Amino acid sequence: MTEKSDLAAIRNIGIMAHIDAGKTTTTERILFYSGRVHRMGEVDKGTATMDWMSQEQERGITITSAATTCAWKDTVINIIDTPGHVDFTVEVERSLRILDGAIGIFCAVAGVQPQSETVWRQADRYGTPRIAYINKMDRIGADFYRAVNMIRNGLGSEPVLLHLPIGAEDLFSGVIDLIRLKAYIYEEDSGEHFLVKELTDEQMEEALEYRQELLEKLAEFDDGILEKYLDSDEISVEEIQHALRVLTIQNKIVPVLCGSSFKNKGVQMLLDAVVDYLPSPLDIPPVKGVNPKSGEEIIRQADVAGPLCALAFKVAVDPYVGKLTYFRIYSGKAKVGSTIMNSGKNRRERITKILKMHANHREEIQEAFAGDIVAGVGLKDTVTGDTLCSEHDSIILEAIQFPEPVVDVAIEAKTKADQDKIGESLRRLAEEDPTFRTRVDAESGQTIISGMGELHLEIIVDRLLREFKVNANVGKPQVSYKETVKKKHGAEARFDKQAGGRGQFAHVILDIAPRAEGQGVLFVDKSNQEHIPKEFVPAIESGVLEGLQAGILAGYPVDDVEVTLKGGTYHEVDSTEQAFKVAAVMALKDALQAAEPVLLEPIMDIEIVSPEEYVGDIISDLNARRGRVMGFEENRHSKIINGEVPLAETFGYATALRSASQGRASFSMQIKNFAEVPASKAREIMAKRYGIPLQDL
C-alpha cells in the first residue's frame, strides 16, 4: 500500500506556455532522460509521444492535454502536457485545477506572449506554485535577461535566477548553476552527458553578482538566511534549496532556469528543480468541499487511509476501451470493481478498469491511491468537474468554470443515416469538451456547433468526418453573438385559450434588468403564493430560460440579465404548467422588446509581431477592421503591436497579414470581453440573419 512517505515522493505537474514555446519538445526530453522512452520524438516530424492524435501530428501543435508518468531521483512525476493555442485553453484550465505545480515555459526570443500570460493568470487563480524555464536559448535573437524582466513586469511575479546561460544563439553551450557555482557544459548532441566545470574568472564575477541577488531575495522572506547573510556566514546549498522550496510552494517566488530543449541542453536541471522545489501532495493545502446534504464545509487531507475523494477533470473516447474518465485522487484509494458515488448527481458508479496513461498508451492497475492521476473505465454518468467519493462519506468539490464559446458553424448530415449518427457523435464530443456546444437553430432548423475559435471547430469537424465517419456538409465559421438589454423594464402576458372542455389559462408579470458582463442569467421568484401557486414557478422559470435562448433582435442567446417573477394570476381549473410556460415566454419577449435590446460581439486581444517596415500597413489594416492599437513594444529585431479587434473582423486575418508583411509578421489572439455592436453593424448582422435587404430594416 502507498504510505504517507510515498506521497512526499510524488509531483503532479503541468507544462504550460504560449504556442510554439517548446512544451511538447521539453516533455519529450523529460521522458527520454528519465528513461520513460528510448527515442526522442520530434514535433515537426510528427513523432512526439505526447502529440498522438493525427490532427496534432499533421499540424505540429498540441490539441488535447496528454498525461504521462516518469521517475527521477526516486520521485514519481505525473506530467500533463497542455496545449498553447488559445482555442484549447479549456485543457489548461481543467489540468491546473487538479495539479500541484507547473512549469511555465517561455521562448527566449519572444519572452512573455499573450497565451503565456493567459495560462499564468489561470495558475494565479488556482494558486499553483511554478518554476519558469526560458527555452530556445539557441535561437537567433535569444535574450535571457529580457525574458526574465518580462516575467517580472508583465506577469507581476518575482523571478529568482537559479541559472545563467553560457553564451546565446549559436554559442549557447550550457548553464551556470548559481547555487553551487559550477558550469554545466554540453559537448555532445544527445545531451545525455554533460561536463561539470569550475567557473572561469569572468563567469565567477557575473555569477557572484547574481548569487548575491538570489540570497538577498531569500533573506527577505527567510529569517535564518537573513541572519547568516547579515553576519556574512556561509549559507549551505541545502539551506538555499530548503528556502527556495518553501517560498516556491508559498507562491512568493518563481525559480528561473534556462536551456534549449530542442538541442538537448538544460532539461536534467529542470527535472532536478521539479523534484527540489515543486510541491508534493503533502505540501499543498488540503482540498475543500461541501457536504451534499447539510451544505457544511468539509476538508480532505492528502491521506491514503482517508475516505475516497477524487475529481474528474477530463473525459475522452478511446477506440479500444470506450469512455475514459481521467480523475485526480485527493484522499483514499480507488479499486477495480468497487462501487463509488458521483456525489453531484447522486449516482453510483462502478469502476471496471483503472489505467495509468502514457499519452495514448495504457497500463492497467488494480488500485490507485491519494496523489495519483489515473483514468477509469466504466463511469457512465461522470463528466468533467464531477466529484467521485466513497458512498458513506460524501463530498462535493468545487466544479471547474469554463469560458463561453465564441464561434459558430452550421453542420448538416448528408443522409438520414448520417443524421442519426451525427447526433450521437456530437453528444460524445461535447462530453469530452466542455467548451464545445451544440444547438438547433430555431429559424433554420440547422444544427449549430459552437467552439472557442476557427481552429477548435476545424478539429471538431475533422474528428467528426475521420474518427466518427460522419458524412456532413459544413458551413463557414460565424461569430457567436449574444444579446442583452440596457435598461430595466417590466411586462405581463395573459394566455387564455378556451376551445371546448377544459381551457388553458395563465397570467404572468415579470421584470427584466441588465447584469454586469460575465454575470450570466439569473431568475428570481418574488411572486406571492396566493397569486401563483409554487408548483407553477418551475414551469415559468423553464419558459424564461427557453425564451432567452433566442433574443428578439437576431435570434442570438440573451445573456447577463436578471428576470424577476413579480406576480400574476391563475385559474383553479384551467391553469396548467404548459400555460404558464407559454405566458412566461410571451411576457419575456415583450419585456425584451421594451428594455433596449442590443447585440454583443466578442472582442479579441491581439498581439502582432512584425518587422518595423510593415508596421504602418498593419496598423492601417487593423483600423479598417474596427480594431484599436493599445500600445507598442520594441523587440531586438521587430516591433510588437498590442491591440484589440472584433472577432468578426479576424476571419482570414492570417492570410491578410502574410501578404501585408511578405510572410514575416505573426499574430496571436485571445478573447478579452463582449462589447456592444455599433448600430450600423448590428443592422447588417440582422439583415444577414433574416435574409432581408438592409434598407427594409
Side-chain angles (χ1 to χ4, degrees):
M1 183 183 284
T2 306
E3 301 294 341
K4 192 159 187 170
S5 59
D6 294 319
L7 281 171
I10 292 176
R11 302 289 181 272
N12 290 316
I13 65 162
I15 297 189
M16 58 183 203
H18 188 86
I19 192 168
D20 207 30
K23 292 179 305 301
T24 302
T25 301
T26 302
T27 310
E28 290 296 316
R29 301 309 185 258
I30 287 173
L31 296 178
F32 177 75
Y33 295 128
S34 64
R36 191 67 177 81
V37 298
H38 303 292
R39 184 174 58 83
M40 284 186 267
E42 301 295 353
V43 174
D44 52 358
K45 293 179 183 173
T47 57
T49 308
M50 305 300 277
D51 284 353
W52 56 269
M53 290 173 68
S54 53
Q55 290 87 353
E56 294 177 312
Q57 292 165 359
E58 289 163 7
R59 292 166 176 82
I61 61 168
T62 302
I63 291 166
T64 183
S65 53
T68 190
T69 301
C70 67
W72 187 258
K73 292 188 173 177
D74 299 323
T75 301
V76 174
I77 305 176
N78 296 315
I79 303 171
I80 296 186
D81 175 26
T82 64
H85 197 286
V86 64
D87 286 14
F88 308 107
T89 304
V90 59
E91 294 289 338
V92 186
E93 186 77 32
R94 59 179 166 194
S95 299
L96 283 171
R97 174 68 173 79
I98 55 93
L99 291 169
D100 302 332
I103 301 172
I105 299 184
F106 299 90
C107 172
V109 181
V112 174
Q113 297 167 277
Q115 187 62 7
S116 45
E117 195 171 331
T118 300
V119 297
W120 201 263
R121 299 278 174 256
Q122 286 172 299
D124 282 343
R125 198 160 64 246
Y126 289 116
T128 309
R130 66 219 91 140
I131 53 182
Y133 175 63
I134 312 290
N135 189 26
K136 302 195 176 186
M137 283 302 305
D138 60 301
R139 288 267 302 273
I140 294 172
D143 189 334
F144 174 74
Y145 301 99
R146 174 178 172 271
V148 171
N149 283 330
M150 290 178 81
I151 293 172
R152 180 179 290 108
N153 301 325
L155 301 178
S157 293
E158 193 60 68
V160 171
L161 305 191
L162 307 189
H163 284 174
L164 296 180
I166 299 174
E169 303 179 347
D170 290 345
L171 300 175
F172 178 65
S173 59
V175 299
I176 293 170
D177 182 343
L178 294 178
I179 299 175
R180 294 173 180 83
L181 292 175
K182 299 286 184 185
Y184 304 137
I185 308 292
Y186 290 83
E187 291 187 332
E188 44 144 335
D189 289 343
S190 75
E192 281 187 86
H193 306 288
F194 52 87
L195 301 175
V196 181
K197 290 188 172 183
E198 296 300 323
L199 300 181
T200 65
D201 291 345
E202 190 181 337
Q203 288 172 339
M204 182 63 81
E205 189 181 338
E206 185 184 19
L208 286 173
E209 182 188 328
Y210 281 99
R211 193 177 197 269
Q212 188 85 347
E213 283 186 18
L214 164 64
L215 294 175
E216 284 173 6
K217 184 52 64 180
L218 296 182
E220 282 182 31
F221 301 103
D222 188 297
D223 291 342
I225 287 184
L226 175 62
E227 199 174 312
K228 284 196 168 188
Y229 181 74
L230 293 174
D231 293 341
S232 300
D233 289 347
E234 184 65 33
I235 302 170
S236 69
V237 168
E238 291 72 25
E239 287 174 310
I240 293 172
Q241 288 187 315
H242 175 73
L244 282 166
R245 178 175 182 78
V246 169
L247 295 174
T248 302
I249 291 169
Q250 291 175 350
N251 260 316
K252 290 179 177 171
I253 62 166
V254 177
V256 180
L257 302 91
C258 64
S260 167
S261 298
F262 185 62
K263 294 292 177 67
N264 312 316
K265 294 180 174 78
V267 177
Q268 294 96 327
M269 293 87 200
L270 180 61
L271 276 166
D272 288 343
V274 167
V275 172
D276 292 340
Y277 309 124
L278 288 181
S280 75
L282 297 174
D283 294 317
I284 59 168
V287 69
K288 292 179 182 176
V290 295
N291 184 312
K293 290 178 181 169
S294 66
E296 65 187 79
E297 186 176 89
I298 305 173
I299 288 175
R300 286 280 188 269
Q301 303 283 350
D303 184 2
V304 174
L308 174 67
C309 173
L311 184 73
F313 68 96
K314 178 173 172 148
V315 173
V317 178
D318 187 288
Y320 301 103
V321 297
K323 179 180 167 183
L324 283 177
T325 306
Y326 288 75
F327 57 93
R328 155 76 190 267
I329 304 178
Y330 289 100
S331 73
K333 60 183 178 179
K335 203 170 184 177
V336 169
S338 63
T339 300
I340 57 177
M341 180 65 77
N342 180 330
S343 52
K345 294 191 170 75
N346 198 25
R347 297 256 179 94
R348 287 185 177 85
E349 295 270 33
R350 189 173 177 80
I351 304 176
T352 57
K353 283 182 185 174
I354 298 176
L355 307 171
K356 274 270 186 195
M357 300 300 292
H358 177 50
N360 63 330
H361 300 292
R362 299 163 299 277
E363 176 193 331
E364 280 197 44
I365 56 175
Q366 291 304 304
E367 281 184 300
F369 303 94
D372 286 342
I373 295 174
V374 292
V377 179
L379 303 172
K380 293 177 182 173
D381 297 315
T382 301
V383 297
T384 298
D386 283 355
T387 303
L388 301 170
C389 59
S390 57
E391 287 188 80
H392 309 297
D393 220 328
S394 283
I395 183 173
I396 297 179
L397 302 177
E398 186 184 348
I400 308 170
Q401 301 298 318
F402 297 111
E404 290 292 314
V406 293
V407 176
D408 295 343
V409 162
I411 188 163
E412 286 178 345
K414 288 185 178 177
T415 66
K416 180 70 176 77
D418 285 318
Q419 183 62 47
D420 299 334
K421 201 194 277 187
I422 204 170
E424 174 61 17
S425 302
L426 290 173
R427 186 190 66 77
R428 286 169 69 184
L429 286 167
E431 202 174 54
E432 281 189 35
D433 185 349
T435 59
F436 169 64
R437 311 273 172 84
T438 68
R439 71 176 197 277
V440 175
D441 187 279
E443 300 289 327
S444 64
Q446 288 179 312
T447 297
I448 306 293
I449 60 176
S450 305
M452 298 306 296
E454 286 182 272
L455 180 62
H456 185 198
L457 290 181
E458 185 187 311
I459 301 294
I460 293 278
V461 169
D462 193 40
R463 289 187 65 193
L464 270 178
L465 304 180
R466 283 159 61 169
E467 197 176 311
F468 294 93
K469 306 288 191 294
V470 172
N471 291 310
N473 296 316
V474 182
K476 288 183 178 177
Q478 307 286 332
V479 176
S480 182
Y481 293 101
K482 289 183 188 178
E483 297 185 23
T484 193
V485 297
K486 292 180 76 173
K487 68 178 188 181
K488 183 176 179 178
H489 211 282
E492 62 180 298
R494 187 184 298 268
F495 179 66
D496 190 357
K497 192 175 181 185
Q498 305 295 330
R502 185 179 172 182
Q504 294 276 358
F505 177 82
H507 172 220
V508 171
I509 304 168
L510 52 77
D511 277 350
I512 193 165
R515 301 184 81 199
E517 189 195 333
Q519 294 280 299
V521 170
L522 180 66
F523 177 81
V524 179
D525 175 23
K526 289 190 177 175
S527 63
N528 189 313
Q529 169 88 18
E530 294 174 12
H531 298 144
I532 299 180
K534 290 302 173 191
E535 63 262 30
F536 293 128
V537 172
I540 295 170
E541 182 177 2
S542 173
V544 165
L545 296 178
E546 210 172 276
L548 291 173
Q549 291 304 305
I552 53 152
L553 288 178
Y556 290 106
V558 181
D559 201 7
D560 296 333
V561 294
E562 181 176 314
V563 178
T564 305
L565 175 62
K566 303 296 287 288
T569 52
Y570 78 107
H571 188 280
E572 286 187 1
V573 177
D574 291 348
S575 285
T576 63
E577 288 184 358
Q578 187 57 36
F580 271 103
K581 190 173 179 180
V582 173
V585 173
M586 291 164 59
L588 177 73
K589 296 296 181 190
D590 289 347
L592 282 171
Q593 191 78 53
E596 281 190 35
V598 290
L599 272 181
L600 301 175
E601 64 179 344
I603 304 295
M604 310 300 286
D605 263 332
I606 188 166
E607 181 185 85
I608 305 161
V609 181
S610 168
E612 180 86 48
E613 58 264 38
Y614 307 113
V615 167
D617 290 343
I618 288 170
I619 291 173
S620 298
D621 180 61
L622 196 63
N623 291 336
R625 294 172 183 271
R626 297 193 286 128
R628 288 196 306 162
V629 174
M630 310 300 286
F632 297 95
E633 288 176 46
E634 293 289 341
N635 202 339
R636 199 191 306 181
H637 300 284
S638 55
K639 200 148 192 167
I640 301 169
I641 306 160
N642 294 304
E644 57 182 42
V645 61
L647 176 65
E649 307 293 340
T650 65
F651 294 132
Y653 185 62
T655 307
L657 187 64
R658 273 197 299 269
S659 59
S661 64
Q662 298 182 8
R664 293 173 63 194
S666 62
F667 78 101
S668 55
M669 292 190 308
Q670 61 189 25
I671 179 112
K672 183 183 181 186
N673 60 353
F674 275 78
E676 187 179 335
V677 180
S680 58
K681 189 70 183 175
R683 290 177 65 241
E684 283 178 36
I685 293 165
M686 289 158 62
K688 188 176 178 183
R689 180 84 164 158
Y690 294 122
I692 57 175
L694 190 59
Q695 60 267 26
D696 290 354
L697 276 176

